[in-house]
């Protein structure tokens, strides 16, 4: 946590425009860390023969809904995150109050939202479509509340797979799309980071995670001047992009933090007409 705080300070100094969002994120991470030592997560039974078969056929190990959750810890964390949200910005406060009202009136079933193998498209169902809620805020609060449980599950499963050999665009554990790509080790091996469970897996240097494009002619990247650590990898076949962090240039404490501190790159990509399939709640 000390390292995260230090990194947040560095980033705030470098990019004062991001102060508010970085403070908000830091508070959320602090709250999540507090719950971790007390989490009760059931083990995930995986028969070896199933596991091998799934890997051979190119299926991921689990569905999102199969991840074990510590429901009480998740609920408590959700409430704390709402409190943080209410103090963040007036707009966020307004949204959180609407969400709390909807929960009080049983328009949102949190248990369902946490365990339903949560996807943004399902929010309509959870909320009954009756409330004028900013879906992104609700999605974010739910996802950050379940994150400690999910990541504890991912840790247990990570030893079960060969993350260097998967080489696909979707997560080997849960089948979700990647949120970021990371360059690591001296030779710059490329990894993808799952947007749901936080798993990292190896991928080819030239490869579009979203459409499988491997051609150099239709893949390119760009970065902001003087910022070679962060770049946008764009695909001209599917017109989508992923943000890549070169972790050889920075001490990577938290990829999501770096993602939030480089929203200007998302803006650039959006202006050039590319879409981001797994956005963060602040992606333009
Ligand atoms: Zn995953
Ligand atoms: Zn593509």
């Amino acid at each position: 946590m000390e390292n995260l705080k230090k990194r947040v300070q560095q980033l705030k100094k470098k990019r004062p425009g991001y102060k508010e969002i970085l403070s908000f994120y830091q508070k959320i991470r602090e709250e999540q860390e507090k719950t971790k030592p007390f989490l009760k997560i059931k083990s995930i039974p995986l028969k070896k023969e199933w596991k091998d078969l799934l890997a051979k056929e190119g299926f991921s190990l689990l569905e999102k809904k199969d991840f074990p959750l510590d429901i009480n810890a998740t609920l408590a964390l959700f409430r704390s995150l709402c409190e943080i949200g209410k103090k963040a910005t007036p707009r966020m406060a307004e949204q959180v109050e609407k969400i709390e009202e909807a929960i009080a009136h049983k328009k949102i079933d949190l248990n369902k939202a946490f365990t339903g193998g949560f996807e943004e498209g399902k929010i309509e169902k959870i909320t009954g479509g009756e409330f004028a809620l900013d879906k992104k805020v609700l999605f974010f609060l739910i996802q950050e509340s379940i994150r400690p449980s999910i990541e504890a599950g991912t840790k247990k499963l990570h030893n079960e797979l060969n993350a260097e050999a998967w080489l696909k665009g979707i997560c080997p554990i849960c089948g979700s799309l990647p949120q970021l790509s990371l360059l690591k080790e001296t030779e710059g091996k490329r990894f993808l980071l799952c947007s749901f469970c936080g798993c990292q897996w190896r991928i080819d240097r030239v490869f579009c995670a979203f459409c499988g494009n491997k051609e150099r002619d239709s893949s390119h990247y760009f970065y902001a001047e003087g910022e070679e650590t962060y770049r946008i990898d764009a695909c001209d076949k599917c017109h989508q992009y992923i943000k890549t962090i070169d972790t050889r240039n920075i001490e990577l404490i938290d990829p999501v933090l770096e993602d939030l501190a480089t929203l200007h790159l998302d803006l650039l990509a959006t202006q050039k007409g590319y879409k981001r399939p797994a956005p963060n709640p602040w992606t333009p």
Side-chain angles (χ1 to χ4, degrees), residues 221-241:
Y221 60 84
F222 53 88
Y223 33 70
E225 224 187 295
E227 277 196 338
E228 284 83 1
T229 302
Y230 311 93
R231 72 180 203 209
I232 296 290
D233 276 286
C235 171
D236 289 321
K237 278 218 165 128
C238 68
H239 302 285
Q240 302 185 99
Y241 75 91

Side-chain angles (χ1 to χ4, degrees), residues 67 154 170-177 193-199 201:
F67 277 85
T154 303
I170 55 162
C171 171
I173 290 184
C174 75
S176 300
L177 292 174
L193 172 77
C194 178
S195 56
F196 181 74
C197 76
C199 170
W201 70 99

